[in-house]
Amino acid sequence: MSSEMSRVLLGAISLLLYDQGSGLPIHSCNPLPSNQWTDIPVILDADHKAGLLTTHDFPRRLPSNLPFRCRWILNNLAFSGSHVEGDLYKLYIYFTQLYLQASLITVKQCNYNFTVCDTFNREWNTADHAVITTSPYLLLELSVPTGKQKINFRVMEVSEQYGLNITYEVRKESERHPDRFFSCSLVECHFNGECIVNATPNGKEVENMYCRCNNPVDDSTSSRDPFYGKQCQYHNKHGHCTGKESGHRDANSRCNNQPCYYLTSRYVKCDCNKGWEGRGCERKVEEDEEIRGAQKCAQQKIFNISVEIVRTYSSEDLKRLQKEIRYFWNIACNCSLISLLQRSESKASTFFLVISGLEGDVRRTIDTINSTAKMTALLKISKISIISETQPCITKLEVNQSSPLYQEHEFSISCFAKGSGKLKFSWYKDDKLVNISVADRFMKEAVYHIESEKADRVGVLSVSAARKFDSGVFRCSIADQGVSVSKSLNYKLEVINMPEIDVHPKVVVLSTKNGKITNSGEKSSIFCFMAETSNLGNNYTFSWEKKALGSNSDSKPIDPEKSVETVEPLILPRGLLIRLDKIKESASYVCKVTNSNRVSRKEVKVYLLPKNQINKETCHPTEDHMVIWPRTHVNTRYSRHCFDGYQGMMHRYCHEAGDEGYWGEPDQSRCVRDNLLSVQNMFEEIKSGMKFDIIASLK
């Protein structure tokens, strides 16, 4: 054991507090100056089996002396390797309330003398929420830097907490089986609530955990109700991603009649039942594993067969004979007669048949004919044999561009196939036939002959300018003399537009007293984020800019390390949060989102008004059709998304009148009903080269 660690474990005394909420003992880190390690020993024994590891002043604020480092040293010697009748004691570390970046935390399990320590490398915020060990020692190290943007973990519904509050306990393995004990964290609560821990009455053990659900951050009156469900995954807000008890109402349209759940109020995911996949559970998983492999072949084969019949037939008898042969093959092996040719000689006729069917059935039928020397009682056969056989196959399907791709960019899909010279190609997108003849853009279908062991033809679908309607799963289908096979891309092709940005709130009015803002931190913050309908890519860059209110000049970038504003990354939905609780003047704040060489901006006007001038210079918040129109400065137009059931933006003007502002009527002239928009989209998709059953679509 190192001398430093010995000093910590044997000489240091940990100051124990008790959490007034859960009743468990608290081991708090009040960090030392100069970025020294602050060591907090935690000794586990029969009287101290559980507790909390917290940062000082959690959850109100972080310690101010940045940077700092804390190290909790859990001494598990009393329980390491012990058991009761084979039921092993284990040390559980739950990241119940973690509002810091996972990269700041290192967890190590160590042996008796600290000569060997293994590090856990996990994503505590988004994927993993617990560590389980039987080691004698466990070290939890926290290293907080000076950079403001590298510290906090922020999601939209839980954004005002600072630091960490981690729960530890020693329990028998059988008592913490996942089927019998629910352990939670921010991620387990779907980023919509906080994980709360309850202690037993004596305060010595963890009794249970649960998710305490928050309200959506939204401008809908329904957001006054919190999320619900064991993991805060449901809500009745716009979108109606409701729980099982409410019939999963939203799932009827969004998820193909399958459940959905929220990850924050802005991101909805479909919880697809087994056998379904896709963003909207729209695709049935193929049981045939070949569909995701390199090759997909038709079940049936095409056989060229020679048949010698013991007599000659006139041309007049040929039609009757063809009907008789077709009937025979259909009854004998459920096969199809594709074509029949006759070559007559003096005492016999030779027929060349093209038959499609399952290989085993065709060969058994031929063996039977050869052994009985007949097809039917009247149709005598002297010889029948297979000349050649063909099995149509799609060997490969590939796109020349990676997904996602930008609108207006070209792309092509190649379908490599094997078959006869009569092979034909057709293309589908989400089971809609691609019909290039009606497209108002350049599209081309071509077939090329190639020389390869794996393919002899390749069909190519070329599109000159991608559109949003090209997003989906493309499928190549080949047909060879009545035998067909299809193969889909094993991923959805995504076509992305400019990033669709949203902000909340869309206008900010802050009251001041003696030059200081009186609003809470939550009310003086702006979220800028990807709207739910946007395709989330990894190469979007967010930043905040600022300019004087009413100025026509360009906005200037905000330096997060030097400005009075605090800027923090927003993890889900993806974006950037700015806090304005220390600003001294009104301004326009601009959220800028960059993707490659494309830029989108969203402006939010922020007004600072003395408290006694608020009523005179603003319109009061009001409600209309389940929508909250927030406090807005006079002589200002407020814009928001249209009412439920409509698409687009609507506007409302705040007028100045005497001692108070007043709202005008909402302008909904640019709102379009969902059902009319779907018709418009359908015709736009037809013009993009996709074939629709129009009558069925309008029903």
Side-chain angles (χ1 to χ4, degrees):
M1 180 183 299
S2 68
S3 59
E4 180 186 359
M5 203 61 71
S6 299
R7 176 188 60 76
V8 171
L9 295 175
L10 301 176
I13 299 175
S14 177
L15 176 62
L16 281 182
L17 304 174
Y18 285 87
D19 178 41
Q20 298 300 313
S22 71
L24 294 170
I26 298 175
H27 303 269
S28 180
C29 175
N30 194 357
L32 296 169
S34 304
N35 202 24
Q36 303 176 61
W37 277 113
T38 304
D39 291 320
I40 307 99
V42 180
I43 299 176
L44 299 163
D45 56 34
D47 293 322
H48 301 92
K49 288 185 175 182
L52 304 173
L53 315 176
T54 71
T55 47
H56 181 67
D57 217 7
F58 174 88
R60 291 183 292 276
R61 62 183 66 87
L62 278 174
S64 58
N65 54 322
L66 301 179
F68 68 85
R69 294 190 294 176
C70 296
R71 179 166 53 203
W72 289 268
I73 307 164
L74 281 72
N75 182 333
N76 188 37
L77 286 169
F79 297 99
S80 179
S82 61
H83 61 87
V84 176
E85 296 179 352
D87 197 357
L88 200 63
Y89 277 103
K90 290 189 174 182
L91 172 59
Y92 294 83
I93 308 293
Y94 306 105
F95 289 84
T96 40
Q97 294 177 321
L98 175 60
Y99 307 116
L100 299 170
Q101 297 281 354
S103 59
L104 307 183
I105 296 171
T106 303
V107 182
K108 301 176 182 178
Q109 57 181 5
C110 300
N111 64 357
Y112 290 95
N113 54 12
F114 289 92
T115 57
V116 178
C117 290
D118 297 323
T119 302
F120 294 93
N121 294 314
R122 298 181 184 173
E123 292 296 325
W124 312 117
N125 298 115
T126 55
D128 307 285
H129 75 285
V131 170
I132 306 172
T133 183
T134 58
S135 295
Y137 293 100
L138 186 134
L139 307 182
L140 193 146
E141 299 174 346
L142 171 65
S143 182
V144 178
T146 54
K148 297 178 182 178
Q149 293 197 78
K150 301 176 182 178
I151 298 176
N152 301 308
F153 182 87
R154 296 300 184 214
V155 293
M156 200 151 183
E157 270 61 43
V158 187
S159 63
E160 298 301 315
Q161 291 77 4
Y162 293 84
L164 59 77
N165 184 35
I166 293 173
T167 306
Y168 70 88
E169 67 167 349
V170 172
R171 294 298 287 259
K172 288 184 287 187
E173 186 175 21
S174 63
E175 296 172 331
R176 288 299 177 254
H177 192 279
D179 292 339
R180 294 191 291 272
F181 181 77
F182 175 69
S183 60
C184 57
S185 66
L186 185 60
V187 63
E188 290 295 310
C189 297
H190 281 227
F191 306 108
N192 292 323
E194 299 174 74
C195 179
I196 305 301
V197 180
N198 287 326
T200 54
N202 62 11
K204 292 185 177 182
E205 296 180 334
V206 174
E207 185 171 48
N208 59 53
M209 301 183 190
Y210 70 96
C211 291
R212 184 175 66 194
C213 302
N214 291 344
N215 293 64
V217 176
D218 203 349
D219 53 6
S220 168
T221 57
S222 62
S223 296
R224 292 170 179 164
D225 297 325
F227 288 93
Y228 67 95
K230 185 178 181 179
Q231 296 176 268
C232 304
Q233 70 269 45
Y234 302 129
H235 198 270
N236 294 320
K237 71 180 285 293
H238 173 69
H240 307 302
C241 189
T242 57
K244 188 177 295 185
E245 59 272 31
S246 302
H248 293 299
R249 293 201 303 272
D250 184 59
N252 293 333
S253 58
R254 185 192 296 271
C255 299
N256 193 22
N257 296 312
Q258 297 172 54
C260 57
Y261 59 84
Y262 283 101
L263 291 174
T264 77
S265 59
R266 295 312 200 281
Y267 190 26
V268 176
K269 289 197 70 175
C270 293
D271 190 12
C272 301
N273 295 331
K274 185 177 180 180
W276 293 88
E277 63 182 5
R279 185 175 180 180
C281 304
E282 71 276 13
R283 296 195 304 275
K284 192 171 180 63
V285 177
E286 291 284 347
E287 294 180 0
D288 186 353
E289 295 182 357
E290 280 190 328
I291 195 167
R292 299 210 181 277
Q295 179 168 291
K296 181 73 184 296
C297 294
Q299 291 185 334
Q300 294 184 326
K301 285 186 174 183
I302 301 167
F303 296 87
N304 288 295
I305 299 173
S306 170
V307 181
E308 294 183 7
I309 301 177
V310 188
R311 60 163 291 186
T312 59
Y313 285 87
S314 65
S315 57
E316 291 78 13
D317 294 332
L318 190 58
K319 289 184 179 180
R320 178 185 59 79
L321 180 64
Q322 186 171 347
K323 184 181 295 185
E324 188 175 340
I325 292 175
R326 175 176 283 110
Y327 178 78
F328 166 78
W329 283 99
N330 184 43
I331 295 298
C333 63
N334 196 27
C335 299
S336 298
L337 175 64
I338 298 171
S339 65
L340 182 148
L341 295 174
Q342 180 188 19
R343 187 178 68 193
S344 298
E345 297 179 358
S346 58
K347 296 183 178 180
S349 292
T350 301
F351 287 87
F352 296 98
L353 313 181
V354 180
I355 300 291
S356 65
L358 298 177
E359 181 177 9
D361 293 342
V362 172
R363 291 188 181 278
R364 279 192 295 272
T365 302
I366 290 175
D367 290 342
T368 301
I369 294 172
N370 278 325
S371 64
T372 60
K374 62 180 180 180
M375 283 189 186
T376 65
L378 300 177
L379 194 58
K380 306 298 183 180
I381 306 296
S382 61
K383 184 180 179 182
I384 182 170
S385 60
I386 297 174
I387 301 172
S388 65
E389 58 186 84
T390 304
Q391 185 176 27
C393 293
I394 298 175
T395 59
K396 186 169 61 172
L397 193 60
E398 63 181 21
V399 186
N400 71 332
Q401 301 275 19
S402 59
S403 181
L405 57 91
Y406 293 117
Q407 286 201 31
E408 301 304 321
H409 282 206
E410 66 84 24
F411 71 95
S412 63
I413 309 175
S414 299
C415 181
F416 295 83
K418 293 189 300 184
S420 74
K422 298 182 179 180
L423 197 64
K424 294 182 179 180
F425 291 79
S426 54
W427 294 91
Y428 297 83
K429 197 273 294 183
D430 295 335
D431 294 327
K432 300 182 184 75
L433 178 66
V434 176
N435 184 6
I436 66 173
S437 64
V438 298
D440 62 353
R441 56 178 172 167
F442 178 78
M443 299 176 73
K444 180 181 178 182
E445 294 181 34
V447 178
Y448 303 97
H449 293 263
I450 60 176
E451 294 183 4
S452 168
E453 292 183 2
K454 294 185 177 180
D456 45 35
R457 283 171 180 75
V458 56
V460 180
L461 172 66
S462 300
V463 180
S464 63
R467 296 177 180 174
K468 66 178 182 178
F469 303 109
D470 295 318
S471 291
V473 178
F474 277 85
R475 174 165 58 92
C476 171
S477 180
I478 60 172
D480 193 348
Q481 303 178 79
V483 177
S484 61
V485 62
S486 297
K487 181 176 173 61
S488 300
L489 286 172
N490 59 6
Y491 63 91
K492 180 179 180 180
L493 185 68
E494 295 276 0
V495 179
I496 59 175
N497 196 2
M498 290 294 294
E500 186 177 345
I501 307 168
D502 203 356
V503 289
H504 180 85
K506 293 176 174 59
V507 66
V508 177
V509 177
L510 301 175
S511 64
T512 62
K513 185 176 182 180
N514 299 324
K516 293 185 177 181
I517 294 173
T518 61
N519 303 74
S520 65
E522 181 181 359
K523 298 295 183 181
S524 57
S525 300
I526 306 173
F527 296 93
C528 176
F529 53 93
M530 289 286 191
E532 182 189 351
T533 55
S534 294
N535 297 291
L536 300 182
N538 295 322
N539 52 349
Y540 291 125
T541 302
F542 288 78
S543 60
W544 280 101
E545 298 180 342
K546 178 182 177 180
K547 65 180 181 179
L549 197 63
S551 171
N552 293 323
S553 61
D554 294 337
S555 53
K556 303 297 183 183
I558 293 174
D559 185 345
E561 300 301 328
K562 297 179 180 179
S563 66
V564 294
E565 298 89 354
T566 301
V567 177
E568 298 180 84
L570 191 63
I571 307 302
L572 198 67
R574 187 155 182 228
L576 210 56
L577 164 66
I578 188 168
R579 300 187 187 277
L580 309 174
D581 53 316
K582 296 179 181 178
I583 64 173
K584 299 298 183 183
E585 59 185 5
S586 301
S588 286
Y589 288 85
V590 179
C591 179
K592 176 182 174 182
V593 180
T594 306
N595 177 250
S596 186
N597 60 345
R598 307 183 183 198
V599 177
S600 297
R601 287 181 169 87
K602 207 81 168 181
E603 182 176 345
V604 179
K605 294 180 179 179
V606 178
Y607 300 89
L608 265 66
L609 298 173
K611 196 170 184 179
N612 58 5
Q613 295 292 313
I614 288 287
N615 289 338
K616 181 179 180 180
E617 297 195 34
T618 65
C619 290
H620 288 279
T622 187
E623 298 177 12
D624 187 14
H625 289 80
M626 299 289 288
V627 165
I628 298 174
W629 298 89
R631 186 179 295 279
T632 301
H633 198 272
V634 295
N635 301 322
T636 301
R637 188 181 74 165
Y638 181 81
S639 301
R640 58 150 292 123
H641 292 289
C642 296
F643 294 130
D644 193 10
Y646 291 80
Q647 297 293 323
M649 300 295 292
M650 60 181 177
H651 316 283
R652 199 170 189 180
Y653 199 81
C654 173
H655 298 274
E656 184 178 10
D659 293 335
E660 288 189 352
Y662 73 94
W663 286 105
E665 291 298 316
D667 177 6
Q668 303 178 62
S669 59
R670 298 184 181 181
C671 296
V672 181
R673 283 187 179 274
D674 287 344
N675 56 353
L676 293 180
L677 191 64
S678 65
V679 173
Q680 177 184 333
N681 286 339
M682 181 185 68
F683 282 104
E684 289 295 326
E685 194 164 359
I686 290 173
K687 290 195 297 181
S688 296
M690 308 301 167
K691 187 173 181 179
F692 266 87
D693 183 342
I694 297 179
I695 302 301
S697 300
L698 293 176
K699 286 183 178 179

